[in-house]
Amino acid sequence: MKYLLLLFLLAPIGAMTQAIDDVNVWSGAELKLKLNKKWKARVESQYRFSPRTGGNRYFGEIGVARELTPHWDLEISYRHTFRRDKDARKRIMMDLTYSAPKMDKLK
């Protein structure tokens, strides 16, 4: 019992000695639009700031998604990232998503 009490008393000291050096601020907005029964579109804009690295990043992303089956969706997106004092980055992404059926539908 003494050792357990000692553990609880010393544990907060270890937690207080940890430094927080990776604080980031992310903010953004996303607009989703359902085009028809199977197609969706998405536009996103974000700002990311990291004081430790002094990095500011702005990026815009557009994507289209299609429902393949009731449980499978496929999305293709394009992202353009603007970084302070560096070249812009471009990226094309493809996401395949599976949504499990709800448990009450399985009964």
Side-chain angles (χ1 to χ4, degrees), residues 27-89:
S27 63
E30 181 179 35
L31 176 66
K32 292 182 178 181
L33 179 65
K34 188 169 184 174
L35 301 173
N36 59 30
K37 191 174 181 178
K38 297 220 179 240
W39 288 90
K40 299 175 213 164
R42 180 176 67 79
V43 177
E44 181 179 0
S45 177
Q46 271 197 22
Y47 167 73
R48 296 180 182 178
F49 174 70
S50 175
R52 189 183 85 177
T53 61
N56 293 331
R57 292 182 182 186
Y58 303 93
F59 71 81
E61 183 173 320
I62 59 172
V64 291
R66 185 177 194 287
E67 182 182 306
L68 301 174
T69 69
H71 302 292
W72 289 96
D73 289 340
L74 179 68
E75 180 179 359
I76 297 178
S77 303
Y78 170 78
R79 177 183 287 182
H80 192 94
T81 305
F82 303 94
R83 299 182 328 162
R84 184 178 175 187
D85 300 331
K86 294 184 181 178
D87 293 335
R89 289 186 177 177

Side-chain angles (χ1 to χ4, degrees), residues 6-19:
L6 184 62
L7 177 69
F8 283 120
L9 291 175
L10 293 179
I13 294 172
M16 289 188 301
T17 60
Q18 296 175 357

